[in-house]
Amino acid sequence: MSLVAFELPSQVYDALTAFRQKRHVLIYCASSSTIDRSIIRKHVRELLRHLLVLYAETSPENVCIDNQRGMVPTLFVNGRQIHVSISHASGVSCAALSLDTKIGVDLVDLNEISAEDDLLQTAKLFLSPSIATSLAHSNRHEFRFNFGVEWAKREASLKCLGLPIIEWTQNDPCLPNDMIVEFMSIGSRYVLAQARLHV
């Protein structure tokens, strides 16, 4: 498996082709990091709407996206629900769509991961003791990247299940055999992860 993300608006037709073939797609858009987050949220919703208007060959009024902060977004096209997940980082937004199954996406800005934070303790609490042990054996550069990957995978998995960030337990709901979890880099600054349930 290799995760592919399409940059909008320049790759809208490639994204459209992938969505029609695979029934799920991952998109992202870059913006100035100085733009207000509410403007960034509006921008990514407009790009999603444009993609779905093309996909369904419908009018913009028939694409309804409700994306309130802290809530799982809902998306309807011509009255049919499409699973969606949206994530933002400084300068980039991304969204994952699926026709068939719940989906989650998370974006991490590696520049926001500070070596001064007690990230090993955070990893033990939220990612798992085994991941924390693996991270402890990483050098400084690898640690930041690996922590970003694991955090993005965790957030994407929880979002796929409609859950907020929760501490890891032995009965963790995000078991790998329950879902497909993939990650990729966007440039050298961002890590993006997507999780979707098996169809």
Side-chain angles (χ1 to χ4, degrees):
M1 290 183 290
S2 62
L3 193 59
V4 176
F6 299 93
E7 185 173 10
L8 265 56
S10 63
Q11 294 183 304
V12 66
Y13 290 103
D14 295 327
L16 188 59
T17 299
F19 192 38
R20 287 183 171 142
Q21 291 175 349
K22 297 182 179 181
R23 300 178 62 84
H24 60 87
V25 71
L26 180 61
I27 62 101
Y28 72 98
C29 59
S31 58
S32 169
S33 57
T34 59
I35 293 177
D36 183 86
R37 281 210 171 211
S38 63
I39 295 172
I40 294 170
R41 285 190 186 91
K42 183 178 178 184
H43 182 61
V44 75
R45 287 196 302 269
E46 287 170 356
L47 291 172
L48 274 176
R49 180 172 281 109
H50 177 64
L51 176 70
L52 291 166
V53 163
L54 294 173
Y55 168 76
E57 298 177 354
T58 191
S59 64
E61 300 79 38
N62 293 327
V63 179
C64 176
I65 304 171
D66 183 11
N67 182 27
Q68 298 176 30
R69 190 169 184 171
M71 304 277 293
V72 176
T74 57
L75 172 57
F76 290 89
V77 179
N78 292 332
R80 176 187 178 189
Q81 184 172 6
I82 295 178
H83 301 283
V84 63
S85 182
I86 301 171
S87 184
H88 308 280
S90 181
V92 175
S93 294
C94 65
L97 298 170
S98 174
L99 296 175
D100 302 314
T101 185
K102 292 180 180 179
I103 198 161
V105 70
D106 192 58
L107 186 61
V108 171
D109 182 348
L110 296 175
N111 287 352
E112 293 181 359
I113 297 176
S114 171
E116 286 73 45
D117 294 339
D118 191 359
L119 296 179
L120 280 178
Q121 185 59 29
T122 300
K124 286 177 190 174
L125 283 173
F126 293 101
L127 303 178
S128 80
S130 63
I131 290 173
T133 299
S134 176
L135 288 171
H137 293 96
S138 303
N139 66 39
R140 186 179 178 129
H141 175 72
E142 290 173 337
F143 181 92
R144 195 169 72 129
F145 178 79
N146 292 340
F147 181 89
V149 167
E150 294 300 336
W151 188 267
K153 287 165 57 178
R154 174 72 173 167
E155 284 263 27
S157 299
L158 289 168
K159 287 168 83 171
C160 178
L161 298 173
L163 298 172
I165 190 72
I166 55 174
E167 290 185 12
W168 182 90
T169 67
Q170 291 290 342
N171 299 316
D172 194 74
C174 300
L175 297 175
N177 61 340
D178 292 335
M179 63 180 68
I180 299 163
V181 183
E182 301 171 280
F183 74 91
M184 64 177 286
S185 296
I186 298 178
S188 60
R189 179 172 171 179
Y190 302 97
V191 169
L192 187 156
Q194 176 184 275
R196 57 191 172 86
L197 297 179
H198 286 288
V199 178

